[in-house]
Amino acid sequence: MSVCRARIALGRSLTHSRPQSVLRTQPSRRYASTESSAPQTTSPRTQSKWRTFLQLVGRVTLVTVVGSGALFYYVARKDRTPGEQLPHDPTKKTLVVLGSGWGATSLLQKLDTTDYNVVVISPRNYFLFTPLLPSVAVGTLNPHSIIQPTRYITRHKTRTVSVIEAAATDVDPIAKTVTFADESEIQGLVSSTTLKYDYLVYAVGAETQTFNIPGVKENACFMKELDDADLTHRRFLDCLESAAFPGQTSEEIDRLLHIVVVGGGPTGIELSGEVHDYLEEDLRNWYPELSSHIKISLVEALPSVLPMFSKKLIEYTESTFKEANIDILTKTMVKEIKDKSIVVQGPDGTKREIPCGMVVWAAGNTLRKVTKDLMAKLPEHQTNRRGLNVDDHLRLEGTSGSVFALGDCTATSYAPTAQVASQQGSYLARVFKLIARRDALSTELQQLESQGLLEGEKLKQKEDLVRQLEKVEKMKLFKYTHEGSLAYIGSEKAIADLPFGVGNLAIGGVATYLFWRSAYLSRLFSLRNRTLVASDWLKVRFFGRDVSRD
Amino acid sequence: MSVCRARIALGRSLTHSRPQSVLRTQPSRRYASTESSAPQTTSPRTQSKWRTFLQLVGRVTLVTVVGSGALFYYVARKDRTPGEQLPHDPTKKTLVVLGSGWGATSLLQKLDTTDYNVVVISPRNYFLFTPLLPSVAVGTLNPHSIIQPTRYITRHKTRTVSVIEAAATDVDPIAKTVTFADESEIQGLVSSTTLKYDYLVYAVGAETQTFNIPGVKENACFMKELDDADLTHRRFLDCLESAAFPGQTSEEIDRLLHIVVVGGGPTGIELSGEVHDYLEEDLRNWYPELSSHIKISLVEALPSVLPMFSKKLIEYTESTFKEANIDILTKTMVKEIKDKSIVVQGPDGTKREIPCGMVVWAAGNTLRKVTKDLMAKLPEHQTNRRGLNVDDHLRLEGTSGSVFALGDCTATSYAPTAQVASQQGSYLARVFKLIARRDALSTELQQLESQGLLEGEKLKQKEDLVRQLEKVEKMKLFKYTHEGSLAYIGSEKAIADLPFGVGNLAIGGVATYLFWRSAYLSRLFSLRNRTLVASDWLKVRFFGRDVSRD
């Protein structure tokens, strides 16, 4: 009882803090004179104000900590314990989603599942936050911090969503079927099957483009999936350990510790920056004998890195890299990647072979086989070598509105970025709400029309339905809103190109780095991922990155 | 200035809190009567005591949080930034340590490196906290939380310690050499070499014993290295996803979701318990349609599980497992492990084939090839098939004191546990301190004796040296002190058998689980590992375990 009372008093004193501070002046002065025997250089009034202020700060802090802790626990608990779901309803249409990347996940988050029986098929049972992949490659982040199981989203939906870990092997837009197979190590008796869909969302993404350059597949690491980041991490530490092997010549140490990154897009830039941070902040401590040998080179075929950024920021990146001792080789084409070297052709046309320990390939996208097969089935409409042709509603050309495609597998005027795919996914969620409405109205109309000649009330009803249907069918077109470009460039600096009014805001530096961090944190889909990434950043701040090659 | 003053007052009021609380009664009562208009059910005196008490709690909390935060930062910072080290000294003897497990790491932690040029050779460049491996296998802990790079220890030593990531391929106790090779994917020009040692510590551990049972190597997962835990995790999630594949028969789902653990030692028991927790706490939420199909069986050849624990605790474990629906099959021999089943022979001698999704093999140790080769080179002294014969000073028999062996590769009267190896490592660190002293005295004595006939002062000096040498050579024998056995058995329960006076304290339950957690936390070698493991436990408490198959 007295605990309650004390709490009430605490709460009240917070809200009425201003009048209290006046009331308290008197007794607080008494404290000071009774308790303190130290020489008094400040007036009792100042001290009392300070005291009141500190008490207020203390209380606000306490209430904030307890309150946000409780909220955090509540949200985490709710995320963790999904409730009962409605079962699949045979009268509803089947919506199949292929993929679990930016497009598919953004769609699933927003989709109203009461209208459909939804089936998600993807070879990965999780969503991967790709922009932070370079951080995983050097061990700044734990792989599990940037992934979110697809079921963590679908299990919170009103109606059950089937999530199937399988790769789509065939899409038949005529028969409206998808064939998919479990391609993992462990398989059940049934490991391949075909499913009929009413609507299909095709969001399978792309795979890494190697331009058929010899040796890329065999000798380079990629930066697309979680396994790629893991392999890059292992190889990098392997290079270090091999360089530390007793009796290695100085020349061979230089080779082993030369890291080449191919591709001057955000991924290549961020990876170079992260590798540089790793060297500066961690390896210098644990491998002091090797630190002077390490070298990073960035190879780009175009005349400049980061073409999506303004000239000022490109120059800022170049000068930051120069300070960080990262070589940028622009207008340089990769001709071959060998086991222990990379062959490049410089701007003057001469080829040279550069010895190196490892190459990370972060250049370009190409279509997956299943996408090429799908295009071959629609020869009249799908002839664009860049990707699938879609209309302004993201409907796949030649499928009369039953297939939608988005993200990196499509050929649009937008760049193949997470931002575009994500906005397309949200757009489609709205479209499917309208489609459900349209389909319901059409069915109603058909039932009415099947009753033969309509008169009076019924005719009015029909006209009303037709009007509603016309309204629904005027769906808005997809329109992309560019929210800006961000990239981390190492040395605790980032660059940002943000649309601002009619112009652009181009900023770079340490403040932008904090902005980069908070922007990425807010982009993560769940409280869980946000907490994990933030705690990983804290860990690195306190303990540095790990140098174990596990 | 006034901030300082306020802080001083704060600090003082903390130490003199008792008299203050008396002094404050008066003014606090005034507050209550002025501020509060709520009905007064407690006396103003009680409320004022509460207020003073809460203020005290608040201050103690603040000082504790700030103080421990600063200490934490200081220790983490110090761990992270090792200073300059002395270089190797050609006049010092070379001490080669093979291994980076419990024995080697415990030795390296305690060893005084001023006396030796130390070289550590191990195929893993980190120490693995093996008792927590089952937690990694189900995703409770992040793999990196339970490993510590060997360099994090050696870089803090006075003299440089060479750490080489390589596997010892040959030990020649006659020529006193070790040959080792870099067996990883990336290799430099030099990838194999031979090193001469003065002293060798042989701590290579053991590998998993398969008893030549067909199919174990091909089809089972192990629980020895970090990769094993990773594979177990992946396969387990793979079984789930294959069971969730559409059209799977109920019988096949039962097979895929039957997990068999072989070995009733602490590893097998903890793994079964952890898998059970995973099912209860996580999978039920995300795969509700599968949760009723999951089954765990534990197979043990002996008549009972956990033979190192008292009968009472074994019974407690058995009843906990029964409640948790984990089948224990004792007196059951594994005859073969197939792709989709395990063949066992029960206590009545009949064989039966049990369908299952995966088998985890956590049974027994056997000697590594390099250990067997070493034994073959000392045929007169090393004939024990269980392991290397060592004397009570851990000196390898037949090597006249130049080779020491410890841990799972030796045949002693102690169990092959982390506790034994760890104590042996600490013991050897003390031994090497004495050996350095002995070697220094011997050298001095030899120099003195080489001067020919000694008289007067010199003779006295010699006698003194001989006496000192005799004292040093009486090294204490290694003696193992059993600190008790601990095991987690799932459902937030643990068991502990602790030596207590002349008897034993056998406890089990939820409190023991908290004891288990704190004991393991304190056993971890660094603040970094402790923080990481504790934060992983917190994460699981808030967000559950991940079900992504990365």
Side-chain angles (χ1 to χ4, degrees), chain B residues 345-395:
Chain B
Q345 187 174 29
D348 58 355
T350 54
K351 278 191 196 176
R352 60 188 176 120
E353 188 168 344
I354 310 170
C356 61
M358 65 181 290
V359 178
V360 186
W361 186 264
N365 280 341
T366 187
L367 297 178
R368 294 188 191 278
K369 186 179 171 294
V370 63
T371 308
K372 289 181 196 155
D373 291 350
L374 173 58
M375 289 170 78
K377 283 178 191 155
L378 301 163
E380 283 178 36
H381 302 89
Q382 300 291 343
T383 49
N384 192 333
R385 285 186 58 194
R386 275 179 51 232
L388 298 169
N389 283 329
V390 291
D391 67 12
D392 289 338
H393 292 101
L394 304 183
R395 289 180 292 215

Side-chain angles (χ1 to χ4, degrees), chain B residues 421-443:
Chain B
S422 173
Q423 289 185 24
Q424 287 174 329
S426 303
Y427 166 79
L428 275 191
R430 292 193 299 275
V431 166
F432 277 109
K433 188 77 208 160
L434 288 175
I435 289 178
R437 179 97 186 97
R438 184 195 68 189
D439 290 354
L441 288 171
S442 303
T443 313

Side-chain angles (χ1 to χ4, degrees), chain A residues 501-519:
Chain A
V502 284
N504 245 37
L505 178 67
I507 46 172
V510 180
T512 314
Y513 167 61
L514 295 176
F515 174 70
W516 175 82
R517 283 205 160 178
S518 53

Side-chain angles (χ1 to χ4, degrees), chain A residues 421-436:
Chain A
S422 173
Q423 290 184 23
Q424 288 175 329
S426 303
Y427 166 78
L428 276 191
R430 292 193 300 274
V431 166
F432 276 110
K433 190 75 206 162
L434 288 176
I435 289 179

Side-chain angles (χ1 to χ4, degrees), chain A residues 5 50 125 144 151-152 155 165 184 186 189-190 238 241-242 248 252 285 532 545-546 549, chain B residues 2 42 125 144 151-152 155 165 184 186 189-190 238 241-242 248 252 285 539 545-546 549:
Chain A
R5 181 138 299 278
W50 262 108
N125 70 359
H144 279 268
R151 281 184 177 80
Y152 285 14
R155 279 283 289 126
E165 192 193 77
S184 63
I186 293 178
L189 272 178
V190 184
D238 202 351
E241 288 295 351
S242 298
Q248 217 66 276
E252 181 69 354
N285 286 330
L532 297 186
R545 296 164 192 85
D546 203 340
R549 199 169 67 82
Chain B
S2 41
T42 45
N125 72 358
H144 279 268
R151 281 183 176 81
Y152 284 14
R155 279 283 289 127
E165 192 193 76
S184 62
I186 292 177
L189 272 178
V190 184
D238 202 350
E241 288 295 351
S242 298
Q248 218 65 277
E252 181 69 354
N285 287 330
K539 275 184 216 162
R545 298 166 190 85
D546 203 339
R549 198 169 69 81

